[in-house]
Amino acid sequence: MTIDSLKLPIAEKTPHDPALGPPGQPAAPASQDLVAYIALLTQAVESADPGPAAPGGWEERERLRFSTWVRQVYEHPLSPSALAFPISRLIREVQLREAAGLAFRIDVGRARAKPAKPSAEVRATAAVAAAWAIVADALSRSPRPPRERVVGDVWQIVRETIEPVLRPTGTVFPCSHNTW
């Protein structure tokens, strides 16, 4: 038996393929559109970043970075289709790059003798994934929740996720000099 002798039936085209998601859902963006979209988001966040010497410190800098990202995603017309489909390799690479950057900023923003458990990398990955999921959920709703509520929700979850690695390690008992 040869491969040529195995004739498999060709599926007929249907108006809607269930594998593509529910009817009425936007089509997946083309690869070059997705690359341009991600570059635009990255540029917006980088241009809004006040840098490590930000007034308000590390937490304010991260709040500003995440808030800018959410606002840009929420307003961009490609966002519903870019976030509506299963995560592509490109989107996953972007998320991993964002998580690595956040983990680096966490490590730089804290001074610890003992590493946190789970690590800054694990918490950063969870924070970035949560931010993407919260925005994707908001974009899929009709009507959409107010943008600023989504900004606040994302920051609250991100902060709660990464905050434990920013706390000092161990129990500290404040006391004044020579009290013992």
Side-chain angles (χ1 to χ4, degrees):
M1 183 183 293
T2 67
I3 298 287
D4 294 328
S5 66
L6 295 173
K7 298 291 184 193
L8 298 175
I10 298 173
E12 292 181 18
K13 291 187 178 183
T14 59
H16 173 70
D17 183 355
L20 298 178
Q25 188 175 34
S31 204
Q32 65 272 16
D33 293 339
L34 197 53
V35 168
Y37 167 76
I38 290 167
L40 178 76
L41 295 176
T42 301
Q43 193 276 329
V45 170
E46 293 302 320
S47 66
D49 185 355
W58 183 90
E59 185 173 344
E60 182 61 22
R61 178 185 184 192
E62 291 307 317
R63 186 196 60 75
L64 182 60
R65 288 179 64 90
F66 274 95
S67 298
T68 300
W69 182 83
V70 172
R71 287 182 181 105
Q72 291 295 317
V73 170
Y74 214 73
E75 298 302 322
H76 198 284
L78 191 58
S79 295
S81 60
L83 276 67
F85 292 91
I87 297 175
S88 68
R89 179 185 302 161
L90 178 62
I91 294 291
R92 185 67 185 137
E93 287 172 7
V94 169
Q95 289 177 335
L96 290 173
R97 187 177 65 234
E98 288 176 5
L102 177 58
F104 175 77
R105 292 188 305 276
I106 289 170
D107 282 337
V108 168
R110 67 186 169 105
R112 297 191 123 174
K114 284 173 48 177
K117 301 225 185 210
S119 69
E121 291 80 12
V122 170
R123 289 186 182 274
T125 300
V128 168
W132 282 71
I134 291 165
V135 174
D137 180 62
L139 292 173
S140 71
R141 295 184 181 272
S142 181
R144 286 184 186 175
R147 182 189 71 182
E148 293 307 307
R149 190 181 98 205
V150 176
V151 168
D153 290 347
V154 165
W155 176 242
Q156 185 67 32
I157 296 302
V158 167
R159 192 170 140 260
E160 289 174 3
T161 303
I162 61 179
E163 195 268 335
V165 298
L166 300 174
R167 278 190 246 133
T169 310
T171 307
V172 177
F173 297 104
C175 62
S176 58
H177 185 64
N178 293 331
T179 58
W180 290 89

